[in-house]
Amino acid sequence: METFWPAILSLAAAAMWGLGNHVQRIALDDTDPLTGAFVSVATMAGLCWIAAPFLVDASWWWTRSTLIFAIMGIFFPALGQRFQIASVGLVGPSLTASLSAFTPVIAVSIGVLFLGEEVGAQSLVGLALMVAGLALATWSPRGIKRGWPIWAILVPLSAALVRGISQPGLKWGMEGVPSPFFALLVTGTMSTLVLGLMLWPRHRQGRTRTGAGLRWFVANGVINGAGIFALNAALSLGALTLVSPLSGTVPLWALAFGAIIFRRETLGLKHLAIALCVVIGGALILTR
């Protein structure tokens, strides 16, 4: 039972982000990515501030955890989103999404090295299967943009790196203040400031686009915020070596929502192989 709720919350986070991928796709038809990212994160932070008087203890602000959450807020979701946008432009969406599957590897490695978490041979096999399945979920050789310089591969890897850093960082912060909501409030606020600073020069030059897509990004802010809250709650209850791989199943959820709800995907044998890799890998991690 000690792994039940962390597992459920981790999968819920991945499901929210998988749904958010489709909402973002619709929203980007009418709004540029950086403006959309700012609106999404600002919506999440604004809702947190409305609820803060009822859920936040004033003494928490003067703890080390607040500083940790603020630093993590620079990385997640702000810089992660920024690197992802740049990566799509440089190497294409297929390779960007494929390399995002390495986020759990980075997070688990940091957890083992710096947080004293343990990972056995069974968990390593499970993690390898899940990463293989998630990479396969988004891999399409015909969709890879050719002709990019070799250094460009560092951009999607940077996106995976900052997301991988944020998960053990959030867990570390919640050891002092075990509040998933407070972690969301501080990281969301810091990310809003970071994205606002990125957006300001564009706004002054009159390059910022607005439109109906902003309403979709507001909805995405609610969905993304729910996903991050679920991740924070999972991290506060369970081991990083369990939470990170399961919360990294976003591509699988995106495929499922695309096939069932948005009718943008046709499932075949490839997707069966993906599901088997992820399910078997997840089972190995859960029963370690």
Side-chain angles (χ1 to χ4, degrees):
M1 282 297 292
E2 65 182 21
T3 63
F4 177 77
W5 284 112
I8 292 297
L9 289 166
S10 300
L11 292 172
M16 289 295 101
W17 295 332
L19 176 62
N21 283 347
H22 293 282
V23 174
Q24 290 171 22
R25 185 182 299 182
I26 297 171
L28 285 171
D29 290 339
D30 197 47
T31 305
D32 71 272
L34 187 54
T35 301
F38 172 76
V39 171
S40 177
V41 176
T43 298
M44 179 184 73
L47 291 174
C48 285
W49 278 105
I50 292 172
F54 308 100
L55 299 173
V56 173
D57 188 320
S59 65
W60 293 346
W61 291 104
W62 311 108
T63 64
R64 183 183 65 173
S65 295
T66 300
L67 178 61
I68 295 172
F69 294 148
I71 294 172
M72 291 304 105
I74 297 173
F75 296 100
F76 180 73
L79 280 185
Q81 179 73 15
R82 191 67 187 98
F83 279 130
Q84 179 169 324
I85 293 169
S87 176
V88 169
L90 282 170
V91 303
S94 179
L95 189 55
T96 298
S98 295
L99 291 175
S100 72
F102 288 95
T103 295
V105 177
I106 297 168
V108 168
S109 299
I110 294 174
V112 170
L113 291 174
F114 297 103
L115 298 182
E117 298 213 3
E118 297 181 357
V119 56
Q122 181 174 320
S123 292
L124 287 175
V125 172
L127 180 60
L129 279 172
M130 292 190 73
V131 169
L134 295 174
L136 180 62
T138 51
W139 182 262
S140 175
R142 289 178 297 177
I144 297 177
K145 182 180 177 181
R146 304 292 180 178
W148 37 268
I150 191 64
W151 60 262
I153 201 71
L154 296 175
V155 181
L157 287 175
S158 295
L161 176 63
V162 297
R163 290 169 179 158
I165 290 172
S166 69
Q167 292 180 15
L170 289 167
K171 186 169 181 61
W172 182 33
M174 282 187 287
E175 289 178 358
V177 177
S179 170
F181 177 82
F182 185 66
L184 178 63
L185 171 67
V186 179
T187 54
T189 301
M190 180 58 71
S191 286
T192 300
L193 293 175
V194 170
L195 289 169
L197 290 173
M198 291 180 181
L199 189 63
W200 180 248
R202 295 166 59 92
H203 176 75
R204 294 192 65 180
Q205 295 169 16
R207 294 168 56 197
T208 301
R209 293 180 57 197
T210 59
L214 292 181
R215 293 191 291 272
W216 284 103
F217 271 116
V218 169
N220 181 69
V222 177
I223 295 169
N224 190 48
I228 296 175
F229 178 79
L231 172 68
N232 292 347
L235 288 170
S236 71
L237 295 172
L240 185 67
T241 51
L242 168 70
V243 172
S244 187
L246 295 183
S247 65
T249 57
V250 178
L252 188 64
W253 289 100
L255 279 172
F257 285 126
I260 298 170
I261 298 176
F262 295 94
R263 306 292 184 182
R264 290 179 173 176
E265 302 283 351
T266 301
L267 301 183
L269 291 177
K270 170 188 171 181
H271 302 97
L272 176 60
I274 293 165
L276 286 173
C277 284
V278 173
V279 170
I280 294 173
L284 289 172
I285 293 171
L286 279 169
T287 59
R288 69 193 191 283

